[in-house]
Amino acid sequence: MADDGLRDPTILTRHDMASAEIRDVAAGSVAVFTARHPAKERDNEDGAAVIPVDKGRAVLAVADGLGGQRSGADAAQLALEALARCVQKRPDDASGLRSAVLDGFERANADVTELAVGAATTLVAVEVEDGTIRPYHVGDSAILVVGQRGRIKLLTVAHSPVGYAVEAGLLDEQEAIHHEDRHIVSNTVGSAEMRIEVGRTLKLRPRDTVVLGSDGLFDNLHVAEIVEIVRKGPLPAAAEALVGACRRRMSEPHPDHPSKPDDLTFVIFRRGRRS
């Protein structure tokens, strides 16, 4: 698939995909996957978006409607659609894309709040521009950037009591991934107190990999396992390996490994074409 950089956004909500979709965007390639909880018939409350801007720029996003909240799938869809609209309407000045993403988060918060049914969602986004990225996030969905040799260059901190405890050194990853309060989220889209965390600009080196994922990914695989899967090999193969590993964990509980059946969504980006 050629990268014309001018196509409409891809917004995937309520989907139950069998395999990842691969496409070229922003002088690189993305793999997008979203599927519902393997044991439930309800809507997938996760969603993903790939929003092209031009040949060198795009915005990538993942949303996770809060499980147990009313209209979680609606909240995720509204958030991604609001972000896409604001990015498409971006001003032409140099700060336009950053401003557009922030406006998208604010618009998403307003739209979800206006549902007035207690709905909420997480939202993580990455602005890709000429070989650099800038992360934005609300909630406990995560953004990971890893080099080809496995060095972690970025891992966002979950907006949750458990996430903050890990960041403070009070819990290690093993304790956190099994913690009974891991599901509690303290910052969401759809809240009057929503806080957008904006990260620093990060230059991507060739073969760096960017992963945006819902908790269906990060609650079933340790970060080191995700790193080992995505850091090497062709992008389609890495995406399929990630899906397979998560599905095995969800379907085969074991006391030595995390296992939390859930909706599963991720977007993986690499510079260059499909390698």
Side-chain angles (χ1 to χ4, degrees):
M1 184 183 299
D3 180 7
D4 56 24
L6 301 173
R7 287 167 297 176
D8 291 335
T10 296
I11 299 176
L12 301 174
T13 58
R14 294 181 167 86
H15 279 57
D16 191 20
M17 300 174 71
S19 59
E21 174 184 315
I22 311 296
R23 63 177 294 180
D24 296 334
V25 69
S29 295
V30 291
V32 187
F33 179 84
T34 183
R36 70 184 181 194
H37 189 301
K40 294 187 178 180
E41 295 299 322
R42 61 162 172 76
D43 281 345
N44 179 1
E45 294 179 306
D46 285 2
V50 177
I51 310 166
V53 175
D54 53 36
K55 290 186 177 181
R57 297 188 295 169
V59 174
L60 315 174
V62 164
D64 179 359
L66 266 64
Q69 295 280 4
R70 290 169 290 180
S71 301
D74 289 343
Q77 181 171 345
L78 284 171
L80 294 169
E81 290 176 345
L83 179 62
R85 286 196 307 273
C86 290
V87 169
Q88 288 182 299
K89 293 178 181 177
R90 70 197 179 280
D92 293 328
D93 60 272
S95 65
L97 192 53
R98 182 177 188 275
S99 297
V101 173
L102 292 173
D103 287 347
F105 272 72
E106 295 289 357
R107 183 68 259 170
N109 194 50
D111 288 352
V112 174
T113 301
E114 286 169 9
L115 285 174
V117 293
T121 183
T122 70
L123 182 60
V124 294
V126 168
E127 165 195 331
V128 183
E129 182 168 5
D130 298 325
T132 67
I133 65 143
R134 186 194 300 271
Y136 305 76
H137 81 285
V138 172
D140 67 346
S141 296
I143 302 167
L144 169 70
V145 181
V146 59
Q148 186 178 16
R149 295 184 178 180
R151 184 168 75 89
I152 295 173
K153 300 185 177 183
L154 171 70
L155 179 60
T156 54
V157 176
H159 294 160
S160 68
V162 169
Y164 297 138
V166 171
E167 179 68 6
L170 301 177
L171 292 174
D172 62 26
E173 186 196 1
Q174 180 71 17
E175 294 169 323
I177 206 166
H178 294 284
H179 199 283
E180 61 182 3
D181 293 333
R182 188 174 176 87
H183 65 286
I184 297 173
V185 184
S186 53
N187 182 33
T188 62
V189 174
S191 165
E193 292 78 34
M194 182 193 74
R195 174 178 61 85
I196 308 166
E197 183 165 341
V198 183
R200 64 182 178 85
T201 299
L202 178 65
K203 178 72 174 178
L204 296 181
R205 295 182 59 83
R207 303 293 301 173
D208 282 357
T209 301
V210 182
V211 181
L212 298 81
S214 67
D215 58 2
L217 174 61
F218 286 92
D219 282 356
N220 284 287
L221 297 175
H222 294 290
V223 171
E225 294 176 306
I226 299 171
V227 168
E228 187 59 25
I229 290 170
V230 304
R231 72 179 178 86
K232 58 187 178 182
L235 186 61
E240 292 310 305
L242 208 57
V243 172
C246 287
R247 284 180 166 165
R248 285 191 296 274
R249 286 286 168 81
M250 291 185 194
S251 63
E252 301 171 6
H254 189 284
D256 293 335
H257 302 297
S259 177
K260 181 190 172 187
D262 200 353
D263 302 330
L264 169 64
T265 300
F266 62 76
V267 177
I268 310 174
F269 174 80
R270 281 188 191 154
R271 294 180 63 190
R273 293 294 186 269
R274 303 202 181 193
S275 59

